[in-house]
Amino acid sequence: MSRIAWSIATMQLRDLPLLHAIAEESICLLSVGQSDELSRRECPQHMTNTAWAFAVCSFRHCPLLEAISSASIRLISAFDHQNLANPAWASANQAFASPPLLKAIAAQSLRTLDSFEPQSLANTAWSFATLGVVDGPLLDAIAARAVPKLNEFDAQSLANMAFAFAALYLWNHEPLMNSLSAASMGMLRAASDLQPLQRLLDLHG
């Protein structure tokens, strides 16, 4: 089911009857009895793909979001950096704030942050900021992890990081903000798409 949902979203198809059917089937699959039968590797990927696909399709199915949230909390220790960042992003994209889920994502992210790639760092920070959730330990750790890696961030990830810390009024992260500004200025000289970077500079300026 999740692969079908992923394919639909990737092709930018918004087939509502099919999405409804996928949601109902996924809810059954993610119920307590069924999800426990899935491998600990397969279930996080299923939830990640499904959550991402429905967000991309702008299809807000609250029972499905609740099922993904409950199953994610149960199996959170099996989530890697992408499986953590994508449900957070999908929740923010669809304005679905589940405090227990966000708490579980934050705790597992802190345990695995060394494996986070730039996009996962930026998307996680952006997601918490978009939902208005200030998790100090997580955001402090993301800032510390991001500073030495900013040369690996693309324009959108730089903009997402700047938005997250600005939106939550976390201006005390001066090393991060200064590094974001320097990285964006360096990228501006060669970037063809300047819009995300210009937004970053506007926030910092």
Side-chain angles (χ1 to χ4, degrees), residues 69 73 76 97-106:
S69 176
I73 293 168
I76 198 72
S98 168
L101 174 61
L102 294 173
K103 182 178 180 180
I105 288 174

Side-chain angles (χ1 to χ4, degrees), residues 55-120:
V56 168
C57 290
S58 300
F59 187 75
R60 194 173 192 271
H61 192 289
C62 288
L64 174 61
L65 291 170
E66 290 166 1
I68 289 174
S69 176
S70 296
S72 296
I73 293 168
R74 289 199 308 275
L75 299 172
I76 198 72
S77 63
F79 280 46
D80 62 18
H81 64 90
Q82 186 173 3
N83 292 331
L84 289 164
N86 283 356
W89 177 86
S91 295
N93 186 273
Q94 300 200 43
F96 178 80
S98 168
L101 174 61
L102 294 173
K103 182 178 180 180
I105 288 174
Q108 181 65 3
S109 295
L110 284 170
R111 288 190 286 267
T112 61
L113 203 65
D114 286 347
S115 67
F116 272 51
E117 297 174 355
Q119 185 177 12
S120 296

Side-chain angles (χ1 to χ4, degrees), residues 146-161:
V147 168
K149 297 173 70 69
L150 285 178
N151 63 324
E152 302 174 26
F153 281 54
D154 62 17
Q156 189 61 59
S157 294
L158 288 172
N160 284 350
M161 284 290 292

Side-chain angles (χ1 to χ4, degrees), residues 113 116-127 129-130 138-150 153-171 173 175-177 179-181 183 196 199-201 203-204:
L113 203 65
F116 272 51
E117 297 174 355
Q119 185 177 12
S120 296
L121 290 169
N123 284 354
T124 301
W126 178 89
S127 300
T130 299
L138 175 61
L139 292 167
D140 288 347
I142 287 175
R145 174 71 175 163
V147 168
K149 297 173 70 69
L150 285 178
F153 281 54
D154 62 17
Q156 189 61 59
S157 294
L158 288 172
N160 284 350
M161 284 290 292
F163 166 81
F165 284 82
L168 295 175
Y169 300 101
L170 297 176
W171 301 109
H173 289 279
L176 174 65
M177 303 310 293
S179 296
L180 282 169
S181 180
R199 290 200 300 267
L200 186 157
L201 293 173
L203 284 168
H204 187 59

